[in-house]
Amino acid sequence: MLETSARLLKLLSLLQAHREWTGPELAARLEVSTRTIRNDVERLRTLGYPVHATPGVAGGYRLGAGAALPPLLLDDEEAVAMAVGLGRAAGGGVEGIEESSVRALAKLEQVLPSRLRRRVNTLNAYTVQIPGQVPGSTPAVSPEVLTTIANAARDHERLRFDYTGHEGGTTVRNVEPHRLVHRRGRWYLVAYDVERDGWRTFRVDRVRPRTPSGPRFTPREPPADGDVAAYVEKGVNTAMWRHSGTVLAHAPAERLRALSLGPEIEPVDEATCLLKLGGDDLDGMAAWLGFIGVDFEVLDPPELAEAVVRLSERYRRAVSGRSGRGQRGAAGCPT
């Protein structure tokens, strides 16, 4: 049986992690009686934690919001996730939050155990951040996968993993990891593929690391003269996607670069530029092109041009009867 102080911390952790607990559930978790649970709940209330109780068979205990923020209990993965998130926020991207994030991160790092501080520092040191707009929905990546990759890069150990390709097939890859790149809500690994004898970029949400890790390696000269952010930006919209395309945009390259759109942009002259983009869905690529707000011409592939035609026809059908309905409505109105 846990001592009173340790039991209170465990009880608080359970209340913070669950919407509502019944008294018998908490008693079973802590191996005490329901009477002890009632007494411990009162102790938590005395310490300022607003624990609400609902009577009856369907009732239970839940932790509510209080007037002041009580201390939080975090497990290892929660602490790492919070520290990494605060570090990203402190680096900018959300107006007015940088200073608060720095203060919160300093407080958190002060109390982090050394084992967790090492994980956080490794992940931050081996991550490159590319700012820009974040898509509405991006694949989730577990903290365990990120820290496994970052640790392998730090220790110069080869990484073996199962990788799921565009078509759903899985291959085993053996790489020398260099850096993680966080680009607009999605994580990428830049690594030297030993069996394919070249630098590659992998989407981390498609990576499933194998254990144990491979032998140590001597770091190679990184691609793009060390600018891994530029390397990922250049390749992410071509080889990383099922479909790729080239579009001539009737706008200066500087104007489109200022929008942080994502695709590679090459100036043609003062009034036009080339966009090299990619995606897993041609119709989605066609819709995205409509968002940039400039005239454009699809150079390749023909399938992307066909998707743009289909989208334009759908838009035309959406408004084809508008003028006729407006005229009929006007004719029926009294003058």
Side-chain angles (χ1 to χ4, degrees):
M1 184 180 300
L2 296 174
E3 297 294 335
T4 301
S5 57
R7 191 177 66 244
L8 285 177
L9 291 174
K10 180 64 176 177
L11 174 59
L12 180 58
S13 177
L14 292 172
L15 289 172
Q16 289 179 341
H18 199 279
R19 178 67 178 176
E20 186 165 303
W21 294 90
T22 65
E25 287 175 335
L26 291 173
R29 284 294 190 103
L30 299 177
E31 300 179 350
V32 295
S33 66
T34 54
R35 179 178 180 181
T36 300
I37 293 297
R38 290 194 297 270
N39 292 336
D40 286 348
V41 166
E42 288 300 323
R43 292 188 179 97
L44 289 178
R45 288 170 176 164
T46 302
L47 294 172
Y49 293 92
V51 182
H52 302 309
T54 305
V57 177
Y61 299 98
R62 62 183 178 86
L63 189 64
L69 179 66
L72 296 176
L73 292 178
L74 304 173
D75 61 28
D76 285 4
E77 297 307 322
E78 290 170 341
V80 171
M82 181 174 289
V84 172
L86 287 171
R88 296 287 173 269
V94 181
E95 183 179 0
I97 203 174
E98 294 91 341
E99 183 179 351
S100 299
S101 299
V102 169
R103 293 200 308 269
L105 181 59
K107 293 178 181 178
L108 181 60
E109 289 183 337
Q110 185 177 4
V111 298
L112 278 179
S114 58
R115 68 181 188 281
L116 297 186
R117 190 179 299 110
R118 179 177 173 83
R119 288 176 59 184
V120 171
N121 291 340
T122 297
L123 186 53
N124 286 331
Y126 285 86
T127 297
V128 176
Q129 182 80 5
I130 299 179
Q133 298 175 348
V134 178
S137 177
T138 54
V141 176
S142 71
E144 293 88 350
V145 172
L146 291 174
T147 53
T148 296
I149 295 174
N151 288 339
R154 178 199 64 201
D155 298 334
H156 301 152
E157 293 180 345
R158 285 187 183 178
L159 185 68
R160 298 178 67 247
F161 55 85
D162 297 306
Y163 190 69
T164 304
H166 295 298
E167 304 299 329
T170 302
T171 57
V172 179
R173 313 301 284 264
N174 185 14
V175 306
E176 299 173 357
H178 175 64
R179 285 292 187 277
L180 284 164
V181 176
H182 188 240
R183 176 187 181 274
R184 298 173 178 86
R186 185 169 276 149
W187 289 89
Y188 300 92
L189 165 64
V190 175
Y192 188 86
D193 194 313
V194 177
E195 296 175 356
R196 290 162 176 78
D197 194 24
W199 288 96
R200 297 290 187 273
T201 303
F202 303 93
R203 274 179 47 175
V204 179
D205 59 285
R206 297 175 177 173
V207 169
R208 297 293 177 269
R210 292 189 171 198
T211 54
S213 57
R216 295 179 66 86
F217 63 87
T218 300
R220 304 171 186 264
E221 286 295 323
D225 296 325
D227 191 348
V228 293
Y231 178 76
V232 171
E233 284 281 88
K234 183 176 181 179
V236 75
N237 292 294
T238 53
M240 296 293 295
W241 301 106
R242 182 179 291 110
H243 306 287
S244 60
T246 304
V247 172
L248 178 66
H250 292 265
E254 292 75 13
R255 174 181 171 184
L256 296 187
R257 284 172 179 159
L259 299 177
S260 299
L261 297 174
E264 182 182 354
I265 301 173
E266 296 181 0
V268 175
D269 52 39
E270 294 182 355
T272 61
C273 60
L274 290 177
L275 294 180
K276 296 185 178 181
L277 67 155
D280 290 333
D281 177 68
L282 287 168
D283 291 329
M285 293 168 63
W288 182 89
L289 285 169
F291 295 148
I292 63 177
V294 301
D295 291 342
F296 61 88
E297 301 171 40
V298 178
L299 302 183
D300 66 81
E303 294 81 5
L304 178 57
E306 294 169 2
V308 172
V309 171
R310 287 196 302 270
L311 183 62
S312 66
E313 291 174 347
R314 187 178 305 126
Y315 285 163
R316 187 179 298 111
R317 289 193 299 269
V319 298
S320 60
R322 182 178 178 87
S323 58
R325 287 195 300 271
Q327 293 171 359
R328 288 194 298 271
C333 292
T335 57

